[in-house]
Amino acid sequence: MNEFLQVVTFGEALQLLRDNFPLRRSVYMPLAEAVGAVVASDIISPEALPAFDRSTVDGYAVNAADTYGSSESLPAFMAYAGEIAMGCEAGIVLTPGQCAWIPTGGMLPGGANAAVMVEYTEKLADDTVLIYRPVGPWENIMQTGEDVAGNQLIFSTGHRLRPQDIGLLASLGIQEVKVYDTFEVGVISTGNEIIPVAEQPSIGQVRDVNSLALAAALKLCGARVNNYPIIPDDFDRLQQAVDQALSENDVLLLSGGSSVGIKDMTLDVLLKYPEASLLFHGLAVKPGKPTLGVRIGKKLAIGLPGHPVSALMMFHITCAPLLRSEPSFWREGKLDINLASQPGRDDFIPVQLKEAAGGGLMVHPLLGKSGLMSILALADGYVHIGYQQQGLKAGEQVKVVLF
Amino acid sequence: MNEFLQVVTFGEALQLLRDNFPLRRSVYMPLAEAVGAVVASDIISPEALPAFDRSTVDGYAVNAADTYGSSESLPAFMAYAGEIAMGCEAGIVLTPGQCAWIPTGGMLPGGANAAVMVEYTEKLADDTVLIYRPVGPWENIMQTGEDVAGNQLIFSTGHRLRPQDIGLLASLGIQEVKVYDTFEVGVISTGNEIIPVAEQPSIGQVRDVNSLALAAALKLCGARVNNYPIIPDDFDRLQQAVDQALSENDVLLLSGGSSVGIKDMTLDVLLKYPEASLLFHGLAVKPGKPTLGVRIGKKLAIGLPGHPVSALMMFHITCAPLLRSEPSFWREGKLDINLASQPGRDDFIPVQLKEAAGGGLMVHPLLGKSGLMSILALADGYVHIGYQQQGLKAGEQVKVVLF
C-alpha cells in the first residue's frame, strides 16, 4: 500500500495548480457570440462616440444665448428654420434668432449649441416658436466623443464581457474581439466497481456519477468537456486512456484511483511520463485528502477522490476558481451552531442558508455522514474553516461560497 | 403626436408582465444536458441509495460486539475470513469472531454490522487480525436507503439543477428529466436612423446596438434568441416583421418606436391584432419611460426604448427577472454620496462597487448623462430608488443588484 507522497495544505495546492495551469489561448470571436468571454488584449476605441453632437431631448435646437432671460411670462420669440430629420445630416445652419425642430438623437445643426425641451416651447405659427425657459451652452446635447473618445482604452485584458459591454463595442463598430479560448477538459472515471448510469448495478457496483456531475460543473465554469469511457483498475488501459485524453485536452480530471488503496494506479500512470512533475499527492482537506496534481508538459492532470461528494467538493474548491473567469458568489450570515474542526486541515462544510427572524441570513451546517449525495443537493453553499482555525462558534458571522 | 396611453409604476408593470408572461413548456432532457435547467415536475427516487450497506472506510468488516473492550494494550484477536472486493457481492458471511478486509464503498458482508478503520488494526498473520479500538453498531457504515429512501421526493417543480443535483440523479440511475423549455425570444430594432453594426454610419445614423446587446442579455438569461433585420419607420414593413416574429417566438422585444414621437408606430402595429390587449404604455421609471407591454394571444410583445442604455436597463429590470430561473445576485454597501430622486417615479442608477477602507463595500453612483454607453460598461450593478422615496443619503446601506 502506498502512502500519500506529498501532502500539502489547501492554499498550497491552489497556488501550485495556479502556477502550473495551462496558458489560455486566445481566439478572435464575432461580437454576437462574445458575451461571457474574457478579453485577451486591451481594446482601444477606433472612433469617437458619439461621432457628432446630438440632442438628448425632443425639442428645438438653438443658440443658447438667444434664450437667455426667457420665462413663462416673457418667452423668447425665435424664427423657425425647419426640421432636423432622424438619420440624416442636419442640413441647416442656424443664424442668430433661429431655431430648428430636433428629435432625440438628432444631429445638432451648425450655429446651434443647445436644445430646448419641447415642453418649454410653443409653436406659434409656421415661422415662429416661443421659448419659455433659457438653456445654457451644451445643455441637452451630447457632444462628439463625450461618451468615448477616439483611441481610448475601453476594456483591459482580463475583463469579462457583459451585455452592456457588447453594446458599447457594437456602438463603436467593433465586430470581432480577441478573447481567451475556453479550456478543454477531459473527464475519466476509474474503478472496477463503476458502471454507466444507464446500467442497473449489481450488488457491489455503483453508477458513474462523477462523469456527469463533473461535466455539469465544468460546463458552468465555461469549459468544453470531453467525457471518456469508464476505465477499470488496469494499468495498461488507464495508460492508454490518459494518453488519449492528455493529447485532446488542456486539463484532465481523473476521479477514483487517487486514494491510498491496493488497486490505485492513477499516480503511477501519470508519473510514468518523462515530462511529468508531481505537484502534490494528498491534501490536508476534509473532504478530499486523496487529491493529486501532476503537471505533464503543458498539460495538467488532477486526480479527484472517487466518491462523488468529495470529488465535487474538491472540484469546487480547487478547479473551479482556476477555470472560471469570474469570482464565485458568496453571502454572509450567522452560524446557527458551533462547528468543530481539526487544526492542521482545511474543512469545507456544506451549509443551508435561511432567512433569519431578525433579518439577515442564518447559516445551517449540514453535518450528516460526508458520503451522503443528498447533503450536497440540499446545500446552498459551503463554509471554509482554515487549517489554522479550531472551529467556528454559533452566532459567528461567516462567509458562504454559493454553489 | 401620441401621448403615453397607460402609464404605470415599475411594480405594476412587473406584475402585469408576470401575469401575462407566456407559459413555460416542458421537455424531456438527457441528464447530461440538464445542468441549469429547471425541474418541471416533482422528481421521486426510483430506488434506495445506497442500495446495500456499504463501508465508508478502508478496514475490516466486523460484528461490533466482537470489538467491545478492545484497546491499544488489549487488542481483540479476530479470525481473518477473507477479502471483500470492490464491485462484487460480498460473498462472505461472518461468524462471531471473524472479520473481513473491506475497501471504502465495499459491500458489508452478512454477519457484520460495522467497519474498523485500517489505522486501528494490524494484520498479524494470514489468519489473524488485531483490532485496537471498539466500534459501535453501524459505525463507518452507510446503510441501505440512508442517503435517499425509495419513493422519496428529491426535487420539487421549480428547482434549478446544479452539478450536485445531476450527481444525485445519476446515482439513482435517472437518465432523463422533465424540465422547463427555455423561452424563444425575438429581437427587432426599429428606426430610420439605425444601421447594421458592420456599416459605417453617415452623420445622423447610429449602429444597431440593441440587437447585439439584447441578444447577449437574453443569452445570459438562458433564452434562445432570434434576431431579425432592422426595420425602418414604415408601418407595413414593421407589421410584416412583427407577424413573422410573433409566430416564431414566445416573447418579442422591439426597441425604438415606443417613444412619443412623430414616427412611432410600434404600438399601432401591435394593437392592430384583434387578440391584442394593452398592458401598459409608459412607465414611471428613469430611465425608460417609453416602455410598453402588449399581450397578443399567448405571446407577449415588449417595446423597449430605442436608446441602448435605456433599453438594456429596462430589459434588466422588467424582462430578466421573468426569463431567468434564478434570482439576481446582489450586494450590500454604503452610498458614498447623496442621491436625489423624484418622487412618483422609480429610479434605477448605475453604480460602481469599491472596497471600503474600513471593510465592507462602498457604492458609488455613476451620474453622467443618462445616454452614455460607457457608464453601463463601467457599472457593476444598479441601485433602485422606489417611487415613494425622495432619494438616498450618503452613508445609507443600499442593495446593489449586480449586472
Side-chain angles (χ1 to χ4, degrees):
Chain A
M1 192 183 298
N2 304 317
E3 284 304 313
F4 288 109
L5 293 182
Q6 200 167 319
V7 179
V8 297
T9 65
F10 163 66
E12 288 164 347
L14 204 57
Q15 193 56 49
L16 283 163
L17 290 174
R18 205 183 291 279
D19 292 344
N20 289 279
F21 217 73
L23 293 178
R24 286 184 182 267
R25 286 181 299 270
S26 55
V27 288
Y28 286 92
M29 191 174 277
L31 192 60
E33 298 166 18
V35 68
V38 174
V39 170
S41 70
D42 293 357
I43 302 180
I44 308 293
S45 58
E47 57 186 61
L49 187 70
F52 56 90
D53 298 340
R54 310 176 61 178
S55 175
T56 61
V57 296
D58 288 341
Y60 290 92
V62 296
N63 184 321
D66 289 341
T67 68
Y68 294 169
S70 63
S71 67
E72 284 289 332
S73 51
L74 254 168
F77 281 66
M78 308 273 289
Y80 181 69
E83 177 180 350
I84 317 269
M86 264 323 268
C88 303
E89 294 225 17
I92 301 178
V93 177
L94 300 185
T95 55
Q98 280 190 322
C99 69
W101 170 259
I102 191 165
T104 302
M107 181 187 177
L108 196 68
N113 65 356
V116 184
M117 286 176 80
V118 63
E119 287 87 333
Y120 308 121
T121 67
E122 187 181 353
K123 190 139 185 238
L124 205 60
D126 273 3
D127 59 353
T128 310
V129 176
L130 302 188
I131 305 285
Y132 291 105
R133 195 183 269 203
V135 284
W138 307 113
E139 195 168 330
N140 298 323
I141 301 300
M142 191 184 293
Q143 288 182 261
T144 308
E146 186 175 341
D147 200 345
V148 179
N151 272 318
Q152 180 188 328
L153 173 67
I154 321 173
F155 298 116
S156 304
T157 303
H159 178 78
R160 189 175 57 87
L161 293 171
R162 302 166 302 164
Q164 59 262 51
D165 305 333
I166 301 293
L168 183 60
L169 294 169
S171 54
L172 289 163
I174 294 173
Q175 298 165 63
E176 203 181 51
V177 280
K178 193 176 175 187
V179 295
Y180 288 120
D181 199 5
T182 51
F183 285 110
E184 197 122 13
V185 183
V187 176
I188 300 178
S189 285
T190 68
N192 284 340
E193 75 282 18
I194 308 295
I195 60 161
V197 169
E199 290 179 20
Q200 190 59 37
S202 57
I203 279 193
Q205 297 182 318
V206 287
R207 294 194 177 94
D208 177 20
V209 172
N210 284 338
S211 287
L212 278 167
L214 290 173
L218 284 163
K219 259 191 224 171
L220 293 189
C221 291
R224 296 198 298 281
V225 188
N226 297 309
N227 276 115
Y228 294 90
I230 299 159
I231 304 295
D233 297 319
D234 175 305
F235 191 93
D236 292 337
R237 289 185 59 186
L238 184 58
Q239 191 168 42
Q240 281 166 29
V242 168
D243 260 352
Q244 186 192 343
L246 278 177
S247 73
E248 294 174 352
N249 296 280
D250 303 301
V251 176
L252 172 57
L253 299 184
L254 294 133
S255 76
S258 56
S259 169
V260 177
I262 308 169
K263 292 174 180 165
D264 297 335
M265 54 191 56
T266 303
L267 189 62
D268 297 339
V269 166
L270 295 175
L271 291 182
K272 236 188 146 184
Y273 290 90
E275 67 273 39
S277 100
L278 178 65
L279 305 178
F280 58 88
H281 177 224
L283 224 57
V285 163
K286 180 185 173 192
K289 188 164 192 190
T291 300
L292 63 86
V294 178
R295 182 186 175 132
I296 301 170
K298 290 177 175 172
K299 311 292 179 87
L300 187 60
I302 299 172
L304 296 169
H307 196 288
V309 172
S310 308
L312 258 184
M313 273 303 290
M314 294 312 292
F315 175 86
H316 260 296
I317 65 174
T318 61
C319 303
L322 303 176
L323 288 165
R324 292 170 60 165
S325 57
E326 47 189 318
S328 322
F329 281 101
W330 51 270
R331 287 268 182 288
E332 278 199 345
K334 275 198 174 118
L335 261 191
D336 64 353
I337 54 170
N338 292 331
L339 261 184
S341 165
Q342 189 180 302
R345 160 183 103 177
D346 285 79
D347 273 23
F348 295 88
I349 296 128
V351 298
Q352 274 184 324
L353 290 173
K354 293 172 181 175
E355 300 285 333
L361 287 172
M362 203 54 125
V363 179
H364 178 65
L366 295 167
L367 289 176
K369 286 188 181 152
S370 68
L372 299 181
M373 275 306 293
S374 51
I375 281 199
L376 275 196
L378 285 173
D380 296 310
Y382 62 83
V383 163
H384 176 194
I385 307 183
Y387 70 98
Q388 76 287 14
Q389 285 178 285
Q390 301 237 357
L392 298 166
K393 289 232 164 95
E396 228 174 292
Q397 194 79 3
V398 294
K399 190 165 154 176
V400 175
V401 181
L402 300 184
F403 282 133
Chain B
M1 192 183 296
N2 306 317
E3 284 303 312
F4 289 109
L5 293 183
Q6 200 167 319
V7 178
V8 297
T9 65
F10 163 65
E12 288 164 346
L14 204 57
Q15 191 57 48
L16 283 163
L17 290 174
R18 203 182 292 280
D19 293 343
N20 290 279
F21 217 74
L23 294 177
R24 286 183 182 268
R25 286 180 300 269
S26 55
V27 287
Y28 286 92
M29 191 174 278
L31 191 62
E33 297 165 18
V35 68
V38 175
V39 171
S41 69
D42 292 357
I43 302 181
I44 309 292
S45 59
E47 57 186 59
L49 187 70
F52 56 89
D53 297 340
R54 311 176 60 178
S55 176
T56 60
V57 296
D58 288 340
Y60 289 92
V62 296
N63 183 320
D66 290 342
T67 67
Y68 294 169
S70 64
S71 67
E72 284 288 334
S73 50
L74 253 169
F77 281 67
M78 309 272 289
Y80 181 70
E83 177 179 350
I84 317 272
M86 263 324 266
C88 302
E89 294 224 19
I92 300 178
V93 177
L94 301 186
T95 54
Q98 280 190 322
C99 69
W101 170 258
I102 191 165
T104 301
M107 179 187 179
L108 197 68
N113 67 355
V116 184
M117 287 176 77
V118 63
E119 286 86 333
Y120 307 122
T121 67
E122 188 180 352
K123 189 137 186 236
L124 204 59
D126 271 3
D127 59 355
T128 308
V129 177
L130 302 189
I131 306 285
Y132 291 105
R133 194 183 268 204
V135 284
W138 307 113
E139 196 167 330
N140 297 325
I141 301 300
M142 191 183 293
Q143 288 182 262
T144 309
E146 186 175 342
D147 201 345
V148 179
N151 272 317
Q152 180 187 328
L153 172 67
I154 321 173
F155 297 116
S156 303
T157 304
H159 178 80
R160 190 175 56 86
L161 293 171
R162 302 166 301 165
Q164 59 263 50
D165 304 333
I166 301 292
L168 182 60
L169 294 170
S171 55
L172 289 164
I174 294 173
Q175 298 166 61
E176 203 181 54
V177 280
K178 193 175 174 188
V179 296
Y180 287 120
D181 199 4
T182 51
F183 285 108
E184 196 121 14
V185 183
V187 177
I188 300 179
S189 285
T190 69
N192 284 340
E193 76 280 20
I194 308 295
I195 58 160
V197 169
E199 290 178 18
Q200 191 59 38
S202 57
I203 280 193
Q205 297 182 316
V206 288
R207 295 193 178 95
D208 176 19
V209 172
N210 285 338
S211 288
L212 278 168
L214 290 174
L218 283 163
K219 260 191 225 171
L220 294 189
C221 291
R224 298 198 296 281
V225 189
N226 298 308
N227 276 114
Y228 294 90
I230 299 160
I231 304 295
D233 297 319
D234 175 303
F235 191 94
D236 293 336
R237 287 185 61 186
L238 184 57
Q239 191 168 41
Q240 281 165 30
V242 168
D243 260 352
Q244 186 192 345
L246 278 178
S247 73
E248 294 174 351
N249 296 279
D250 303 301
V251 176
L252 172 57
L253 300 184
L254 294 132
S255 76
S258 57
S259 170
V260 178
I262 308 168
K263 292 174 182 165
D264 297 335
M265 54 191 53
T266 302
L267 189 62
D268 299 337
V269 166
L270 294 175
L271 291 182
K272 235 188 148 184
Y273 290 89
E275 68 273 39
S277 98
L278 178 65
L279 305 179
F280 58 88
H281 177 225
L283 223 59
V285 163
K286 180 187 174 192
K289 188 165 191 191
T291 299
L292 62 86
V294 178
R295 181 186 176 134
I296 301 171
K298 291 177 175 173
K299 311 293 180 86
L300 187 60
I302 299 172
L304 296 169
H307 197 288
V309 173
S310 308
L312 258 185
M313 274 303 290
M314 293 312 292
F315 175 86
H316 260 296
I317 64 174
T318 62
C319 303
L322 302 176
L323 288 165
R324 292 170 58 167
S325 57
E326 48 189 316
S328 323
F329 281 102
W330 50 270
R331 287 268 184 288
E332 279 200 347
K334 276 199 174 117
L335 263 189
D336 65 353
I337 54 170
N338 292 330
L339 260 184
S341 164
Q342 189 180 304
R345 161 184 101 178
D346 286 79
D347 273 22
F348 294 87
I349 297 128
V351 297
Q352 274 184 326
L353 291 173
K354 293 173 180 174
E355 300 283 334
L361 288 171
M362 203 54 124
V363 179
H364 178 65
L366 296 167
L367 290 175
K369 285 185 183 157
S370 67
L372 298 181
M373 275 307 294
S374 50
I375 282 201
L376 277 196
L378 285 172
D380 296 309
Y382 61 83
V383 163
H384 176 193
I385 308 183
Y387 71 97
Q388 75 289 12
Q389 285 178 285
Q390 302 237 0
L392 297 166
K393 289 231 164 96
E396 228 174 293
Q397 193 80 3
V398 294
K399 190 166 156 174
V400 176
V401 180
L402 301 183
F403 282 132

PDB file of all heavy atoms in Angstrom, chain A residues 156-177:
ATOM      1  N   SER A 156      -9.744  46.394 -20.585  1.00  0.00           N
ATOM      2  CA  SER A 156      -8.411  45.841 -20.394  1.00  0.00           C
ATOM      3  C   SER A 156      -8.455  44.321 -20.500  1.00  0.00           C
ATOM      4  O   SER A 156      -9.497  43.698 -20.294  1.00  0.00           O
ATOM      5  CB  SER A 156      -7.876  46.212 -19.010  1.00  0.00           C
ATOM      6  OG  SER A 156      -7.883  47.598 -18.842  1.00  0.00           O
ATOM      7  N   THR A 157      -7.309  43.752 -20.810  1.00  0.00           N
ATOM      8  CA  THR A 157      -7.151  42.309 -20.816  1.00  0.00           C
ATOM      9  C   THR A 157      -7.681  41.751 -19.498  1.00  0.00           C
ATOM     10  O   THR A 157      -7.401  42.292 -18.439  1.00  0.00           O
ATOM     11  CB  THR A 157      -5.651  41.969 -20.957  1.00  0.00           C
ATOM     12  OG1 THR A 157      -5.178  42.595 -22.147  1.00  0.00           O
ATOM     13  CG2 THR A 157      -5.425  40.472 -21.041  1.00  0.00           C
ATOM     14  N   GLY A 158      -8.450  40.692 -19.588  1.00  0.00           N
ATOM     15  CA  GLY A 158      -8.968  40.060 -18.376  1.00  0.00           C
ATOM     16  C   GLY A 158     -10.399  40.438 -18.058  1.00  0.00           C
ATOM     17  O   GLY A 158     -11.018  39.829 -17.186  1.00  0.00           O
ATOM     18  N   HIS A 159     -10.931  41.438 -18.765  1.00  0.00           N
ATOM     19  CA  HIS A 159     -12.306  41.853 -18.487  1.00  0.00           C
ATOM     20  C   HIS A 159     -13.292  40.861 -19.118  1.00  0.00           C
ATOM     21  O   HIS A 159     -13.159  40.483 -20.268  1.00  0.00           O
ATOM     22  CB  HIS A 159     -12.542  43.259 -19.058  1.00  0.00           C
ATOM     23  CG  HIS A 159     -13.939  43.756 -18.871  1.00  0.00           C
ATOM     24  ND1 HIS A 159     -14.388  44.253 -17.674  1.00  0.00           N
ATOM     25  CD2 HIS A 159     -15.000  43.789 -19.719  1.00  0.00           C
ATOM     26  CE1 HIS A 159     -15.666  44.597 -17.795  1.00  0.00           C
ATOM     27  NE2 HIS A 159     -16.059  44.327 -19.022  1.00  0.00           N
ATOM     28  N   ARG A 160     -14.277  40.460 -18.348  1.00  0.00           N
ATOM     29  CA  ARG A 160     -15.301  39.553 -18.862  1.00  0.00           C
ATOM     30  C   ARG A 160     -16.418  40.379 -19.485  1.00  0.00           C
ATOM     31  O   ARG A 160     -16.946  41.291 -18.860  1.00  0.00           O
ATOM     32  CB  ARG A 160     -15.860  38.692 -17.730  1.00  0.00           C
ATOM     33  CG  ARG A 160     -16.786  37.569 -18.185  1.00  0.00           C
ATOM     34  CD  ARG A 160     -17.202  36.697 -17.019  1.00  0.00           C
ATOM     35  NE  ARG A 160     -17.851  37.484 -15.987  1.00  0.00           N
ATOM     36  CZ  ARG A 160     -19.150  37.769 -15.971  1.00  0.00           C
ATOM     37  NH1 ARG A 160     -19.922  37.310 -16.926  1.00  0.00           N
ATOM     38  NH2 ARG A 160     -19.655  38.492 -15.003  1.00  0.00           N
ATOM     39  N   LEU A 161     -16.768  40.083 -20.717  1.00  0.00           N
ATOM     40  CA  LEU A 161     -17.729  40.912 -21.464  1.00  0.00           C
ATOM     41  C   LEU A 161     -19.173  40.642 -21.048  1.00  0.00           C
ATOM     42  O   LEU A 161     -19.648  39.508 -21.116  1.00  0.00           O
ATOM     43  CB  LEU A 161     -17.559  40.686 -22.968  1.00  0.00           C
ATOM     44  CG  LEU A 161     -16.229  41.186 -23.544  1.00  0.00           C
ATOM     45  CD1 LEU A 161     -16.067  40.723 -24.990  1.00  0.00           C
ATOM     46  CD2 LEU A 161     -16.126  42.700 -23.445  1.00  0.00           C
ATOM     47  N   ARG A 162     -19.850  41.703 -20.627  1.00  0.00           N
ATOM     48  CA  ARG A 162     -21.258  41.625 -20.244  1.00  0.00           C
ATOM     49  C   ARG A 162     -22.113  42.219 -21.364  1.00  0.00           C
ATOM     50  O   ARG A 162     -21.577  42.814 -22.302  1.00  0.00           O
ATOM     51  CB  ARG A 162     -21.443  42.403 -18.943  1.00  0.00           C
ATOM     52  CG  ARG A 162     -20.558  41.883 -17.814  1.00  0.00           C
ATOM     53  CD  ARG A 162     -20.495  42.849 -16.663  1.00  0.00           C
ATOM     54  NE  ARG A 162     -19.994  44.149 -17.092  1.00  0.00           N
ATOM     55  CZ  ARG A 162     -20.110  45.268 -16.382  1.00  0.00           C
ATOM     56  NH1 ARG A 162     -20.718  45.247 -15.207  1.00  0.00           N
ATOM     57  NH2 ARG A 162     -19.615  46.403 -16.827  1.00  0.00           N
ATOM     58  N   PRO A 163     -23.435  42.079 -21.299  1.00  0.00           N
ATOM     59  CA  PRO A 163     -24.266  42.600 -22.398  1.00  0.00           C
ATOM     60  C   PRO A 163     -24.016  44.078 -22.684  1.00  0.00           C
ATOM     61  O   PRO A 163     -23.948  44.489 -23.839  1.00  0.00           O
ATOM     62  CB  PRO A 163     -25.693  42.370 -21.876  1.00  0.00           C
ATOM     63  CG  PRO A 163     -25.573  41.164 -20.998  1.00  0.00           C
ATOM     64  CD  PRO A 163     -24.232  41.301 -20.322  1.00  0.00           C
ATOM     65  N   GLN A 164     -23.855  44.885 -21.647  1.00  0.00           N
ATOM     66  CA  GLN A 164     -23.649  46.316 -21.900  1.00  0.00           C
ATOM     67  C   GLN A 164     -22.279  46.574 -22.533  1.00  0.00           C
ATOM     68  O   GLN A 164     -22.116  47.571 -23.248  1.00  0.00           O
ATOM     69  CB  GLN A 164     -23.814  47.151 -20.623  1.00  0.00           C
ATOM     70  CG  GLN A 164     -22.890  46.789 -19.488  1.00  0.00           C
ATOM     71  CD  GLN A 164     -23.572  45.875 -18.491  1.00  0.00           C
ATOM     72  OE1 GLN A 164     -24.153  44.846 -18.860  1.00  0.00           O
ATOM     73  NE2 GLN A 164     -23.510  46.221 -17.229  1.00  0.00           N
ATOM     74  N   ASP A 165     -21.324  45.692 -22.284  1.00  0.00           N
ATOM     75  CA  ASP A 165     -20.011  45.838 -22.913  1.00  0.00           C
ATOM     76  C   ASP A 165     -20.108  45.502 -24.405  1.00  0.00           C
ATOM     77  O   ASP A 165     -19.496  46.168 -25.246  1.00  0.00           O
ATOM     78  CB  ASP A 165     -18.989  44.925 -22.230  1.00  0.00           C
ATOM     79  CG  ASP A 165     -18.925  45.176 -20.727  1.00  0.00           C
ATOM     80  OD1 ASP A 165     -19.232  46.311 -20.298  1.00  0.00           O
ATOM     81  OD2 ASP A 165     -18.582  44.252 -19.982  1.00  0.00           O
ATOM     82  N   ILE A 166     -20.879  44.458 -24.699  1.00  0.00           N
ATOM     83  CA  ILE A 166     -21.151  44.119 -26.100  1.00  0.00           C
ATOM     84  C   ILE A 166     -21.804  45.330 -26.779  1.00  0.00           C
ATOM     85  O   ILE A 166     -21.465  45.687 -27.909  1.00  0.00           O
ATOM     86  CB  ILE A 166     -22.112  42.896 -26.180  1.00  0.00           C
ATOM     87  CG1 ILE A 166     -21.502  41.674 -25.481  1.00  0.00           C
ATOM     88  CG2 ILE A 166     -22.491  42.588 -27.630  1.00  0.00           C
ATOM     89  CD1 ILE A 166     -20.291  41.092 -26.131  1.00  0.00           C
ATOM     90  N   GLY A 167     -22.709  45.976 -26.059  1.00  0.00           N
ATOM     91  CA  GLY A 167     -23.378  47.162 -26.586  1.00  0.00           C
ATOM     92  C   GLY A 167     -22.405  48.280 -26.896  1.00  0.00           C
ATOM     93  O   GLY A 167     -22.461  48.900 -27.963  1.00  0.00           O
ATOM     94  N   LEU A 168     -21.482  48.527 -25.976  1.00  0.00           N
ATOM     95  CA  LEU A 168     -20.507  49.599 -26.190  1.00  0.00           C
ATOM     96  C   LEU A 168     -19.623  49.286 -27.403  1.00  0.00           C
ATOM     97  O   LEU A 168     -19.362  50.154 -28.242  1.00  0.00           O
ATOM     98  CB  LEU A 168     -19.649  49.798 -24.931  1.00  0.00           C
ATOM     99  CG  LEU A 168     -18.637  50.937 -24.988  1.00  0.00           C
ATOM    100  CD1 LEU A 168     -19.322  52.274 -25.222  1.00  0.00           C
ATOM    101  CD2 LEU A 168     -17.801  51.007 -23.710  1.00  0.00           C
ATOM    102  N   LEU A 169     -19.185  48.042 -27.505  1.00  0.00           N
ATOM    103  CA  LEU A 169     -18.338  47.657 -28.638  1.00  0.00           C
ATOM    104  C   LEU A 169     -19.121  47.772 -29.950  1.00  0.00           C
ATOM    105  O   LEU A 169     -18.587  48.238 -30.961  1.00  0.00           O
ATOM    106  CB  LEU A 169     -17.813  46.227 -28.441  1.00  0.00           C
ATOM    107  CG  LEU A 169     -16.852  46.067 -27.253  1.00  0.00           C
ATOM    108  CD1 LEU A 169     -16.580  44.596 -26.956  1.00  0.00           C
ATOM    109  CD2 LEU A 169     -15.532  46.801 -27.532  1.00  0.00           C
ATOM    110  N   ALA A 170     -20.384  47.367 -29.926  1.00  0.00           N
ATOM    111  CA  ALA A 170     -21.215  47.473 -31.135  1.00  0.00           C
ATOM    112  C   ALA A 170     -21.374  48.922 -31.555  1.00  0.00           C
ATOM    113  O   ALA A 170     -21.311  49.246 -32.736  1.00  0.00           O
ATOM    114  CB  ALA A 170     -22.587  46.840 -30.891  1.00  0.00           C
ATOM    115  N   SER A 171     -21.546  49.800 -30.585  1.00  0.00           N
ATOM    116  CA  SER A 171     -21.773  51.193 -30.957  1.00  0.00           C
ATOM    117  C   SER A 171     -20.506  51.814 -31.537  1.00  0.00           C
ATOM    118  O   SER A 171     -20.569  52.832 -32.219  1.00  0.00           O
ATOM    119  CB  SER A 171     -22.313  52.008 -29.779  1.00  0.00           C
ATOM    120  OG  SER A 171     -21.464  51.881 -28.672  1.00  0.00           O
ATOM    121  N   LEU A 172     -19.353  51.195 -31.272  1.00  0.00           N
ATOM    122  CA  LEU A 172     -18.096  51.666 -31.860  1.00  0.00           C
ATOM    123  C   LEU A 172     -17.785  50.945 -33.174  1.00  0.00           C
ATOM    124  O   LEU A 172     -16.724  51.151 -33.764  1.00  0.00           O
ATOM    125  CB  LEU A 172     -16.948  51.462 -30.866  1.00  0.00           C
ATOM    126  CG  LEU A 172     -16.988  52.405 -29.658  1.00  0.00           C
ATOM    127  CD1 LEU A 172     -16.094  51.884 -28.549  1.00  0.00           C
ATOM    128  CD2 LEU A 172     -16.571  53.813 -30.073  1.00  0.00           C
ATOM    129  N   GLY A 173     -18.687  50.059 -33.597  1.00  0.00           N
ATOM    130  CA  GLY A 173     -18.480  49.365 -34.863  1.00  0.00           C
ATOM    131  C   GLY A 173     -17.518  48.193 -34.790  1.00  0.00           C
ATOM    132  O   GLY A 173     -17.101  47.663 -35.818  1.00  0.00           O
ATOM    133  N   ILE A 174     -17.168  47.789 -33.584  1.00  0.00           N
ATOM    134  CA  ILE A 174     -16.259  46.650 -33.424  1.00  0.00           C
ATOM    135  C   ILE A 174     -17.059  45.363 -33.617  1.00  0.00           C
ATOM    136  O   ILE A 174     -18.076  45.168 -32.965  1.00  0.00           O
ATOM    137  CB  ILE A 174     -15.579  46.694 -32.041  1.00  0.00           C
ATOM    138  CG1 ILE A 174     -14.665  47.918 -31.984  1.00  0.00           C
ATOM    139  CG2 ILE A 174     -14.833  45.398 -31.755  1.00  0.00           C
ATOM    140  CD1 ILE A 174     -14.049  48.178 -30.630  1.00  0.00           C
ATOM    141  N   GLN A 175     -16.603  44.517 -34.551  1.00  0.00           N
ATOM    142  CA  GLN A 175     -17.396  43.335 -34.897  1.00  0.00           C
ATOM    143  C   GLN A 175     -16.770  42.042 -34.430  1.00  0.00           C
ATOM    144  O   GLN A 175     -17.370  40.975 -34.544  1.00  0.00           O
ATOM    145  CB  GLN A 175     -17.580  43.259 -36.408  1.00  0.00           C
ATOM    146  CG  GLN A 175     -18.338  44.432 -36.980  1.00  0.00           C
ATOM    147  CD  GLN A 175     -18.174  44.483 -38.466  1.00  0.00           C
ATOM    148  OE1 GLN A 175     -18.589  43.577 -39.171  1.00  0.00           O
ATOM    149  NE2 GLN A 175     -17.534  45.532 -38.960  1.00  0.00           N
ATOM    150  N   GLU A 176     -15.563  42.118 -33.948  1.00  0.00           N
ATOM    151  CA  GLU A 176     -14.837  40.909 -33.581  1.00  0.00           C
ATOM    152  C   GLU A 176     -13.927  41.268 -32.419  1.00  0.00           C
ATOM    153  O   GLU A 176     -13.361  42.363 -32.404  1.00  0.00           O
ATOM    154  CB  GLU A 176     -13.989  40.468 -34.783  1.00  0.00           C
ATOM    155  CG  GLU A 176     -13.625  39.026 -34.795  1.00  0.00           C
ATOM    156  CD  GLU A 176     -12.760  38.680 -35.998  1.00  0.00           C
ATOM    157  OE1 GLU A 176     -11.736  39.379 -36.214  1.00  0.00           O
ATOM    158  OE2 GLU A 176     -13.087  37.727 -36.693  1.00  0.00           O
ATOM    159  N   VAL A 177     -13.814  40.398 -31.447  1.00  0.00           N
ATOM    160  CA  VAL A 177     -12.942  40.686 -30.310  1.00  0.00           C
ATOM    161  C   VAL A 177     -12.000  39.509 -30.058  1.00  0.00           C
ATOM    162  O   VAL A 177     -12.337  38.353 -30.298  1.00  0.00           O
ATOM    163  CB  VAL A 177     -13.752  40.964 -29.017  1.00  0.00           C
ATOM    164  CG1 VAL A 177     -14.283  42.381 -29.013  1.00  0.00           C
ATOM    165  CG2 VAL A 177     -14.879  39.968 -28.842  1.00  0.00           C
TER     166      VAL A 177
END
